[in-house]
Amino acid sequence: MNITIENIVLIGSILLLISILVGKTSYKFGVPTLLLFLSIGMLAGSDGIGGIYFDNPKIAQFIGIVSLNFILFSGGLDTKWQSVKPILKEGIALSTLGVLLTAVSLGLFVYSITDFTLYESLLLGAIVSSTDAAAVFSILRSKSLALKTNLRPTLELESGSNDPMAYVLTIAFLSLVVNQDQSFWSIIPLFLQQMILGGVLGIAFGYLSKLAINNIRLDFEGLYPVLVIALMFITFSATDFLGGNGFLAIYICAVYLGNQELIHKKTILQMFDGLAWLMQIVLFLTLGLLVFPSQIIPYLGIGLVVSLFLIFIARPVGVFLSLIFFKMKLRRRFYISWVGLRGAVPIVFATYPLLAGIDKAPMIFSIVFFVSVSSVLLQGTTLSIVAKWLNVGLPEKDKPLAPNDRYILNLPKSVMEEVQVNAQDYAVGKRIVDLHFPDSAFISMIKRKDNFVRPGGSTIIEAHDILVVLLDHEDSIQEVKRVLQVGFV
């Protein structure tokens, strides 16, 4: 079956519905949801029962880049700075040095056992060098896996921030494969430019995005997530246009925004949570359609060898060497090594050699696809088991709530208090979003003279307002009063 304008919506909606229904029951059998999405795409493809012919790496790459924008941005919004700050150095080491060491060690191994050139081998290593944000975020959260100390923030920070490094290495080694006369050292300026510009522009666009969200007055609450989507794509495309790393920029921008007080933040977070899942499904379905299983079978042997080396040697080497200067228990290092999930991102990166037309591109794509599937299947199904074996997991009842769960889950507060705003208070004339209310409290209603006002982030506090405040505990009321009287301290 060929995909046409007339049937693409029907086919897409049916595949989406099947994916959701199958994913709902997948964990009863211990199978990661993302792997099922990929399998459904393969079954619907030309080698499967669906017979849908799709062989366009360029479209698949475009869908992949758009999807990764949403996935990384959603992951960044959920990243709390207070959780990340204690492990920031470890996370940066893993997402930069760890990725480089993984790519080089795997590349040298591939070079020693195949007829690949050195640069082709390093290209393959670079493509599969990063952990996949979609796989890590979805599997950790879907399994509700509670981990001790700062282990989970470390894993999520690494997976969200190491794709840019893998992307730079992929583009760099691909250029060396295509341009044989190019010097190895010529890729260093490209690396520095991509990472520095990506980081700086990510912070800059984050600050500008906050100003835009909080100061552009929109008539409808539902338009604010649309505004954020526009800002997300502007951040990515503008950074890429200027020569920086767009993936790094949108992740940093999202982390910044996720730690700021935003108008309609609850609506924005809920929307991106749903969109991230949608994009994960679309991404894996698309890549499943792109794959021809009959073309992968001849490379299963080499794919298995490469996958096992990556999981048991290259990934641990990258983790242990990049963390060698940090104090961390051995079992935590082993667990970080095991959560080296490869998923859709390496498959998306593997489309770059296909579009560049290099000789080994089909073989590289097939090996990368097998590595990704085997990684999700082996590591993704055993995260809970290995966490228990290494004693790094927490009982479900002891699992701490994520900071942004108060927006996503609509958690009830246990205490309600009324607080009157006096004429001399700091809060008078200020918008709620600018007051920096404590996380343990929020304003549910405002009594203003004889009227009741439903508060929003842009609502301006007036003198003699009576605020109906919901709190986690009674002690929070003193902090609320201090914010209203003298401002955030």
Side-chain angles (χ1 to χ4, degrees), residues 284-412:
F284 276 79
L285 285 176
T286 302
L287 295 176
L289 288 171
L290 182 65
V291 170
F292 292 81
S294 59
Q295 298 177 6
I296 295 177
I297 293 176
Y299 304 111
L300 290 183
I302 182 64
L304 178 61
V305 173
V306 171
S307 181
L308 292 176
F309 185 88
L310 173 62
I311 293 173
F312 292 103
I313 298 179
R315 166 68 176 175
V317 166
V319 170
F320 277 80
L321 290 182
S322 61
L323 296 177
I324 194 170
F325 297 109
F326 299 98
K327 292 182 179 180
M328 183 182 293
K329 293 182 178 179
L330 192 61
R331 62 174 180 266
R332 292 187 66 202
R333 297 174 193 257
F334 274 116
Y335 193 72
I336 292 173
S337 300
W338 189 249
V339 191
L341 294 167
R342 271 67 190 172
V345 171
I347 305 175
V348 173
F349 287 170
T351 61
Y352 284 87
L354 286 174
L355 294 175
I358 68 174
D359 294 337
K360 294 288 197 309
M363 186 175 180
I364 290 175
F365 184 85
S366 298
I367 294 174
V368 169
F369 181 84
F370 184 83
V371 167
S372 296
V373 171
S374 59
S375 173
V376 175
L377 186 60
L378 175 60
Q379 296 169 289
T381 55
T382 57
L383 291 185
S384 299
I385 297 173
V386 175
K388 184 177 180 180
W389 178 57
L390 292 174
N391 193 30
V392 296
L394 290 173
E396 179 61 25
K397 61 182 178 64
D398 296 332
K399 178 189 174 184
L401 289 172
N404 282 334
D405 280 347
R406 66 189 181 105
Y407 296 105
I408 301 296
L409 301 177
N410 286 320
L411 296 175

Side-chain angles (χ1 to χ4, degrees), residues 68 127 130-134 163 166 283 287 343-350:
L68 288 177
I127 291 172
S130 69
T131 58
D132 185 73
D163 289 340
L283 176 56
L287 295 176
V345 171
I347 305 175
V348 173
F349 287 170

Side-chain angles (χ1 to χ4, degrees), residues 179-480:
N179 305 302
Q180 298 290 333
D181 56 341
Q182 188 175 347
S183 167
F184 174 81
W185 303 108
S186 64
I187 68 175
I188 295 179
L190 171 66
F191 168 77
L192 294 175
Q193 173 185 312
Q194 284 265 314
M195 302 305 284
I196 294 174
L197 279 179
V200 172
L201 291 175
I203 296 174
F205 277 113
Y207 177 75
L208 294 175
S209 297
K210 176 191 174 183
L211 293 180
I213 295 167
N214 286 343
N215 291 285
I216 296 178
R217 297 181 65 88
L218 301 175
D219 295 330
F220 302 98
E221 182 178 345
L223 286 176
Y224 281 90
V226 180
L227 172 63
V228 178
I229 291 173
L231 295 170
M232 175 189 73
F233 282 126
I234 289 172
T235 300
F236 176 83
S237 56
T239 303
D240 185 70
F241 176 77
L242 294 173
N245 193 303
F247 293 117
L248 179 61
I250 60 170
Y251 183 74
I252 292 177
C253 174
V255 172
Y256 178 85
L257 289 176
N259 289 274
Q260 303 298 314
E261 293 294 333
L262 304 175
I263 292 177
H264 301 303
K265 187 173 184 179
K266 172 184 172 182
T267 302
I268 293 170
L269 289 174
Q270 288 179 329
M271 175 66 77
F272 269 91
D273 187 56
L275 286 174
W277 272 107
L278 173 62
M279 290 302 159
Q280 289 171 28
I281 295 174
V282 170
L283 176 56
F284 276 79
L285 285 176
T286 302
L287 295 176
L289 288 171
L290 182 65
V291 170
F292 292 81
S294 59
Q295 298 177 6
I296 295 177
I297 293 176
Y299 304 111
L300 290 183
I302 182 64
L304 178 61
V305 173
V306 171
S307 181
L308 292 176
F309 185 88
L310 173 62
I311 293 173
F312 292 103
I313 298 179
R315 166 68 176 175
V317 166
V319 170
F320 277 80
L321 290 182
S322 61
L323 296 177
I324 194 170
F325 297 109
F326 299 98
K327 292 182 179 180
M328 183 182 293
K329 293 182 178 179
L330 192 61
R331 62 174 180 266
R332 292 187 66 202
R333 297 174 193 257
F334 274 116
Y335 193 72
I336 292 173
S337 300
W338 189 249
V339 191
L341 294 167
R342 271 67 190 172
V345 171
I347 305 175
V348 173
F349 287 170
T351 61
Y352 284 87
L354 286 174
L355 294 175
I358 68 174
D359 294 337
K360 294 288 197 309
M363 186 175 180
I364 290 175
F365 184 85
S366 298
I367 294 174
V368 169
F369 181 84
F370 184 83
V371 167
S372 296
V373 171
S374 59
S375 173
V376 175
L377 186 60
L378 175 60
Q379 296 169 289
T381 55
T382 57
L383 291 185
S384 299
I385 297 173
V386 175
K388 184 177 180 180
W389 178 57
L390 292 174
N391 193 30
V392 296
L394 290 173
E396 179 61 25
K397 61 182 178 64
D398 296 332
K399 178 189 174 184
L401 289 172
N404 282 334
D405 280 347
R406 66 189 181 105
Y407 296 105
I408 301 296
L409 301 177
N410 286 320
L411 296 175
K413 301 294 183 181
S414 58
V415 180
M416 182 175 71
E417 295 280 354
E418 291 187 358
V419 183
Q420 182 164 351
V421 180
N422 299 315
Q424 69 274 15
D425 284 350
Y426 166 84
V428 175
K430 302 291 192 305
R431 297 182 304 172
I432 292 178
V433 71
D434 297 325
L435 293 178
H436 300 289
F437 246 55
D439 290 346
S440 57
F442 66 86
I443 303 171
S444 64
M445 190 66 66
I446 299 176
K447 295 180 182 179
R448 182 170 294 168
K449 297 181 180 178
D450 295 329
N451 298 318
F452 287 89
V453 178
R454 182 183 178 185
S458 58
T459 303
I460 296 176
I461 301 296
E462 296 182 2
H464 310 301
D465 279 349
I466 297 177
L467 311 182
V468 180
V469 182
L470 299 181
L471 309 153
D472 283 341
H473 45 79
E474 294 181 356
D475 295 340
S476 299
I477 192 62
Q478 298 303 323
E479 187 176 358
V480 169

